[in-house]
C-alpha cells in the first residue's frame, strides 16, 4: 500500500520517498514532509512561534501561537490570515474573497485518477493509487478536493485539485493552483528554464531571496520564455549528490510558478494556471478541474531526478504507436526550401534521402492555400495546386514509391486574414470588438473555445489524414495570444477563454490522436515554445527549437533534458552556415548533437558533397544501431556546458552492458591536457572496452577516474565514444 492513514496522518510512500501531511485539531491540513523515507511521523518538526503580526484563527481563542501565517500548509488559502502566496483565491456572491478550508474526509482509490478534459499521467490499476482529501470552506459550501496519484515504483506523485461549488450562488475562481508545498526548513536554491524564440530552456539557478520569485507565462501557451517546470534544491546539489525536488506542470497554457521565502525562512512553492489570464465562474453544483503537476524528489542529485521524470514521461505520459517504438529518421524541407518549392523539388530531396537511408519525407509550411510567404493562407487546409501539381495524394504516392513515409506540417490553431477561412468566418478569430488585434507573424489565433472551430478543424484534418497516406503531422503554432475575447461567452466570463482555448485544443488533439493512433504527431511552437508534459500526452516528440545550430542546441538540449526524455526532443542536422547563427560546424558535430533526440535532417541533401552524403549515410546507420540505447538507456549529463567549455552526455544501458558517450568540445585550446570526463551508470566490477581500442577499464575506474577524450582540434569538435562490457572481474 503506497497510501496509508494513521491517527490522522497521511503517509504517501513510493520506493524511495515519503510524503506526509496531517489534519490538526482545528482541521487545518498541515504539510509535514516530502523527502527521504524516515519511518517516522514528521510532525515533531512543527513549531508554533508567537510571531508578531501573524494573527490567529478565531477558534484558537487566546492561543497566540497558532497561526496560519507560520504553519506549513498543504493547500494555502487566501484572505483568512495566511499572508504568503495563496494556492487558491475565490470571490463569493457577496463580493468577499475569503476561503477557510478545513479537513472533511478522505478516500483511497485503486489506480490513478484521470482529469476530465485534461491530460494526466496514466497507469494501470495495479501500478498506481489515488488519495483524495476533501476540504471544505467553514462559511460556504465550496469544497476543494486535493488529489494525489502515486506511482510507487517510479517515485512519482502527481497532484491535482478539484473545486466544487455545492452552494446555491455562483463563485468566481480567481486562482486555483495545482501544487502548493511548504518547506519549513532548508537552505534552498531554485532552478528554472527561461529563454526566448531560438534559445529555449536556458538553465538558471539562483538562491531564494526573502520575498517572492516567479517564473511563468501569460502568453496563452507554456512559452519559449519560461518552461512550466521547476527544481528546488538544497544548496550544493549537483548531478550526483544532494537533495532536490522537481515539479512539472502538465499544461500547455499560461502558467505561474511562485516561490516565496517568508519572514521565518520557510519556503512555499505554488504552481498552476496563471491567475492573470484566468477566471472561472462556478455555478451551483459545478466543478472546476485544475491541471496536474508531476512531482518527484531525489536524494542523489539532478541526474536521479531527471531519470524519474524521463521514465514517467516516456511510459505514463506519452501515448500512441510511437510512444516506445523507434521513430522514423526524417528529412524536413523547411530550411532547405522555406516556401519556395514544388512537387518536383520535394521529390528530388526525397530521392536523395531514400538513397541515404532516411525513412520519412516531411513537407513543411507552404503546401496549402495561398501560402507563398507567411503573410497569407493559414486556415485554408486544401492543397496549393500551383506548387503540388496533381494534389497532395499524388505527391504522397510518389514519396511512398521511393520506400519512404510521408509527413506533413499544419498550424491548425491559426488563421491569416488573407485566407478563405477568415473571409468566410471572421468571427472565428480571437479579437476584441472595436479594437485592432495584435498580429504575430501576421496571423491571428482561432477561437478554440468555439465548438464550431473545433468541429471545422477536426473535419479538415481528419479528412486529410483519411484521404492520404500521411504517417506524421507536425502541429505548429507561431504566435503568442492576447486580445482575449470570445462571442461564445457572456461578458462576465471572458477571462475563461485562455483556459477554454487549451481545453478546446486538447479536445481536438484527443479526437485526432484517438482516431489516428498510428500517426506520429510532433508538437511544435516556433520550435520549443510549447514544450510541456501536456503536449507530450498527445505528441510523443516536440520540435525542440528553431535554432538548429549545433553549439546552441547542446545548451538548449541540456536544459530540456532536466525534465524531458531524449525521445521527446525533435533534433535535426541542418545546413551551414547555420541559418540562425551563421556558424559553421562540421557535419559530424551536427549529427552527434541531433542524435541526442528524435533524429532527422533539415537541408537540401542534393547540395551536399559526396563525402558529406557518405557521412549522412553513416550517421543514419549509427543512429539506427544506437536508437534503443539512446531512447531506453539512462541519460546522464556529464558536465555543465555553461562552465566546462564542453557539453558531454551519456546513454547507459540499464543492464550496464554498454554506454554511448557523446558531446561537443566548444573551443580548442593549445598546450592543454586532454580533457577527462567521469562516466556514470556503469557496473563497478565490470570491465569495459572502447569500441576500436584494445584497452580495457573497470566500471569503477571509468566512474571515479574517468576517461580521456581524444585530442581536440578545431572548435565545436564532436565526441563519440562507445564502450561495451567485455567481462566481469
Ligand atoms: C516554425 C517551426 O518551428 C519551423 O520548424 C517551421 O515549421 C516554420 N514554423 C514554418 O512556418
Amino acid at each position: 500500500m503506497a497510501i496509508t492513514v494513521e491517527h490522522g496522518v497521511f503517509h504517501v510512500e513510493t520506493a524511495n520517498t515519503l510524503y506526509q501531511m496531517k489534519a490538526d485539531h482545528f482541521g487545518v491540513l498541515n504539510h509535514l514532509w516530502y523527502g527521504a523515507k524516515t519511518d517516522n511521523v514528521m510532525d515533531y518538526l512543527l513549531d508554533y512561534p508567537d510571531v508578531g503580526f501573524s494573527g490567529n484563527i478565531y477558534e484558537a481563542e487566546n492561543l497566540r501561537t497558532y497561526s496560519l501565517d507560520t504553519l506549513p500548509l498543504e493547500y494555502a488559502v487566501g484572505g483568512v490570515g495566511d499572508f504568503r502566496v495563496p494556492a487558491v483565491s475565490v470571490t463569493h456572491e457577496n463580493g468577499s474573497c475569503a476561503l477557510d478550508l478545513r479537513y472533511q474526509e478522505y478516500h483511497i482509490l485503486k489506480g490513478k485518477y484521470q482529469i476530465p478534459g485534461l491530460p494526466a499521467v496514466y497507469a494501470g490499476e495495479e501500478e498506481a493509487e489515488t488519495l483524495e482529501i476533501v476540504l471544505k470552506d467553514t462559511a460556504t459550501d465550496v469544497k476543494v478536493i486535493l488529489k494525489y496519484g502515486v506511482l510507487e515504483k517510479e517515485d512519482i506523485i502527481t497532484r491535482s485539485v478539484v473545486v466544487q461549488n455545492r452552494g446555491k450562488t455562483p463563485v468566481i475562481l480567481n486562482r486555483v493552483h495545482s501544487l502548493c508545498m511548504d518547506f519549513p526548513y532548508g537552505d534552498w536554491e531554485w532552478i528554472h528554464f527561461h529563454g526566448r524564440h531560438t534559445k529555449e530552456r536556458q538553465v538558471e539557478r539562483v538562491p531564494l531571496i526573502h520575498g517572492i520569485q516567479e517564473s511563468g507565462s501569460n502568453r496563452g501557451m507554456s512559452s519559449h520564455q519560461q518552461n512550466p517546470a521547476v527544481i528546488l534544491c538544497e544548496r550544493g546539489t549537483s548531478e550526483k549528490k544532494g537533495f532536490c525536488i522537481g515539479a512539472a506542470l502538465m499544461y500547455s497554457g499560461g502558467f505561474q510558478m511562485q516561490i516565496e521565502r517568508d519572514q521565518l525562512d520557510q519556503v512555499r512553492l505554488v504552481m498552476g494556471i496563471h491567475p492573470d489570464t484566468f477566471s472561472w465562474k462556478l455555478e451551483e453544483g459545478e466543478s472546476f478541474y485544475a491541471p496536474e503537476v508531476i512531482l518527484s524528489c531525489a536524494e542523489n542529485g539532478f541526474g536521479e531526478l531527471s531519470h524519474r521524470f524521463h521514465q514517467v514521461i516516456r511510459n505514463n505520459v506519452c501515448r500512441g504507436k510511437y510512444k516506445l517504438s523507434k521513430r522514423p529518421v526524417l528529412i524536413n524541407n523547411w530550411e532547405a526550401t522555406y516556401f519556395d518549392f514544388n512537387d518536383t523539388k520535394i521529390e528530388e530531396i526525397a530521392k536523395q534521402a531514400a538513397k541515404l537511408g532516411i525513412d520519412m519525407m516531411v513537407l513543411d509550411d507552404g503546401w496549402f492555400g495561398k501560402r507563398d510567404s507567411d503573410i497569407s493562407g493559414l486556415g485554408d487546409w486544401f492543397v496549393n495546386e500551383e506548387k503540388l501539381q496533381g494534389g497532395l495524394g499524388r505527391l504522397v504516392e510518389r514519396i511512398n514509391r521511393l520506400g519512404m513515409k510521408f509527413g506533413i506540417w499544419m498550424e491548425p490553431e491559426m488563421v491569416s486574414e488573407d485566407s478563405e477561412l477568415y473571409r468566410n468566418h471572421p468571427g472565428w478569430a480571437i479579437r476584441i470588438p472595436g479594437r485592432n488585434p495584435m498580429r504575430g507573424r501576421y496571423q491571428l489565433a482561432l477561437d478554440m473555445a468555439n465548438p464550431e472551430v473545433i468541429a471545422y478543424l477536426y473535419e479538415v484534418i481528419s479528412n486529410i489524414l483519411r484521404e492520404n497516406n500521411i504517417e506524421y503531422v507536425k502541429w505548429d503554432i507561431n504566435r503568442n495570444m492576447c486580445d482575449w475575447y470570445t462571442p461564445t461567452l457572456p461578458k462576465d466570463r471572458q477571462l475563461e477563454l485562455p483556459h477554454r482555448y487549451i481545453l478546446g485544443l486538447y479536445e481536438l488533439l484527443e479526437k485526432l490522436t484517438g482516431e489516428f493512433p498510428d500517426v506520429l504527431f510532433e508538437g511544435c511552437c516556433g520550435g520549443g515554445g510549447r514544450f510541456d508534459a501536456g503536449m507530450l500526452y498527445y505528441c510523443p516528440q516536440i520540435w525542440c527549437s528553431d535554432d538548429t545550430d549545433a553549439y546552441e542546441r547542446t545548451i538548449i538540449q541540456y536544459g530540456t533534458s532536466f525534465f524531458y526524455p531524449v525521445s521527446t526532443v525533435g533534433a535535426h542536422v541542418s545546413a551551414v552556415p547555420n541559418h540562425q547563427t551563421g556558424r559553421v560546424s562540421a557535419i559530424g558535430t551536427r549529427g552527434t548533437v541531433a542524435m541526442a533526440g528524435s533524429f532527422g535532417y533539415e537541408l537540401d541533401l542534393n547540395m551536399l558533397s559526396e563525402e558529406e552524403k557518405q557521412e549522412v549515410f553513416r550517421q543514419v546507420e549509427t543512429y539506427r544501431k544506437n536508437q534503443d540505447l539512446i531512447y531506453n538507456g539512462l541519460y546522464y549529463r556529464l558536465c555543465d556546458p555553461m562552465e566546462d567549455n564542453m557539453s558531454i552526455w551519456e546513454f547507459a544501458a540499464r543492464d550496464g552492458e554498454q554506454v554511448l558517450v557523446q558531446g561537443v568540445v566548444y573551443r580548442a585550446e593549445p598546450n592543454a591536457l586532454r580533457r577527462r570526463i567521469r562516466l556514470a551508470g556503469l557496473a563497478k566490477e565490470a570491465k569495459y572496452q572502447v569500441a576500436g581500442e584494445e584497452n580495457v577499464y573497470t566500471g569503477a575506474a571509468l566512474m571515479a577516474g574517468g576517461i580521456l577524450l581524444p585530442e581536440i582540434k578545431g572548435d565545436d569538435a564532436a565526441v563519440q565514444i562507445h564502450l561495451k562490457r567485455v567481462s566481469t572481474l
Side-chain angles (χ1 to χ4, degrees), residues 71 131 205 254 275 282 309 345 502 539 547 627 645:
L71 273 173
L131 169 65
R205 177 174 180 168
L282 215 51
F309 275 94
K345 175 88 191 157
I502 297 295
C539 310
D547 190 342
Q627 202 171 356
N645 185 29

Side-chain angles (χ1 to χ4, degrees), residues 334 364-365 409 441 474 476 478 524 526-527 543 546 602:
W334 178 243
D364 211 279
D365 196 352
W409 178 95
R441 207 194 188 195
K474 180 173 173 189
D476 201 354
N478 284 292
C524 178
W543 180 226
D546 270 352
E602 190 161 331

